[in-house]
Amino acid sequence: GDSVTQMEGPVTLSEEAFLTINCTYTATGYPSLFWYVQYPGEGLQLLLKATKADDKGSNKGFEATYRKETTSFHLEKGSVQVSDSAVYFCAPRLEQTGANNLFFGTGTRLTVIP
Amino acid sequence: NAGVTQTPKFQVLKTGQSMTLQCAQDMNHNSMYWYRQDPGMGLRLIYYSASEGTTDKGEVPNGYNVSRLNKREFSLRLESAAPSQTSVYFCASSGQGTGNTIYFGEGSWLTVV
């Protein structure tokens, strides 16, 4: 069935380190792909998205590329900051309408230390 | 920009009590969702509503009921609260297209003692 596998955390990095959080999915059809971020005590908010193969989503220095051939959407940032400490969720959204078509990964907690 | 508004933000209940979590969105979205978030469990879907007048069970519906009152509002009711329902609850909404973003409320912290 449809599912998403996200790199388990927690991840602890020093400021200015490079970040990769892996995400792969299995899905029928052609999903759109999202990364959401949750800061402490808040709800989830969109970080970036890509809606077709080879699209690159980007925001706040984060990037992810829709790789249809490997069914992946890995999140990267070249130089993390303390303010990036949060939980990150990968979420494919499938094509079917009229039903629940959104799947969340389990979340990856990132802590950035000065 | 109100977006998705849910109330209350914090609530303590005794076992067996009932309560309703309210949610409203002002983005004219068809789809609305209720999730719970527990430590180490990620987000789990309780109920969703693909459009006004329809509701469907998600992954963990037991112990909950929902009402899609109109296009704007989607409430979640705990009829007889149990300690296992201690959690953070999130309401969300979106347009129905696959590329549409899901918008979340700020969360409701519920403790059942």
Side-chain angles (χ1 to χ4, degrees):
Chain A
D2 304 311
S3 65
V4 54
T5 302
Q6 185 175 339
M7 185 173 88
E8 287 194 20
V11 174
T12 302
L13 295 173
S14 297
E15 205 165 22
E16 299 184 359
F18 184 85
L19 169 71
T20 299
I21 301 177
N22 290 336
C23 173
T24 58
Y25 65 92
T26 58
T28 53
Y30 201 1
S32 293
L33 302 174
F34 297 79
W35 276 100
Y36 288 86
V37 59
Q38 184 180 29
Y39 298 104
E42 298 183 10
L44 280 72
Q45 57 186 273
L46 177 69
L47 178 61
L48 53 83
K49 70 178 183 181
T51 57
K52 60 183 186 294
D54 300 323
D55 268 3
K56 178 185 284 187
S58 61
N59 186 26
K60 300 181 180 180
F62 291 89
E63 293 182 339
T65 301
Y66 192 143
R67 301 289 187 201
K68 192 172 190 297
E69 65 277 12
T70 55
T71 62
S72 64
F73 194 52
H74 304 320
L75 183 68
E76 296 182 337
K77 186 173 185 181
S79 176
V80 294
Q81 305 300 312
V82 172
S83 57
D84 294 327
S85 298
V87 182
Y88 294 83
F89 294 88
C90 182
R93 189 165 190 189
L94 308 178
E95 289 180 293
Q96 66 262 30
T97 58
N100 178 43
N101 60 359
L102 179 67
F103 296 84
F104 283 94
T106 53
T108 302
R109 180 176 299 279
L110 170 66
T111 301
V112 181
I113 54 177
Chain B
N1 288 341
V4 178
T5 304
Q6 56 180 108
T7 57
K9 192 168 178 70
F10 299 99
Q11 183 73 50
V12 178
L13 284 178
K14 294 182 179 178
T15 298
Q17 286 185 321
S18 63
M19 77 160 296
T20 300
L21 300 176
Q22 307 285 354
C23 176
Q25 52 92 8
D26 62 3
M27 295 172 281
N28 201 37
H29 287 158
N30 283 320
S31 299
M32 297 188 73
Y33 310 81
W34 276 105
Y35 291 91
R36 60 178 289 173
Q37 186 177 34
D38 302 293
M41 300 288 289
L43 285 168
R44 293 186 291 171
L45 182 66
I46 306 171
Y47 272 92
Y48 66 96
S49 171
S51 62
E52 185 179 355
T54 68
T55 61
D56 287 285
K57 296 178 180 179
E59 182 184 354
V60 288
N62 291 345
Y64 305 94
N65 285 301
V66 290
S67 295
R68 184 72 184 268
L69 304 169
N70 46 56
K71 193 170 186 180
R72 288 186 66 248
E73 298 173 289
F74 189 39
S75 62
L76 178 72
R77 182 162 178 84
L78 287 71
E79 291 291 352
S80 179
S84 60
Q85 294 177 304
T86 294
S87 187
V88 184
Y89 292 85
F90 290 98
C91 179
S93 73
S94 78
Q96 286 186 315
T98 183
N100 281 292
T101 300
I102 310 293
Y103 293 88
F104 285 83
E106 294 185 342
S108 297
W109 275 254
L110 177 65
T111 301
V112 183
V113 298

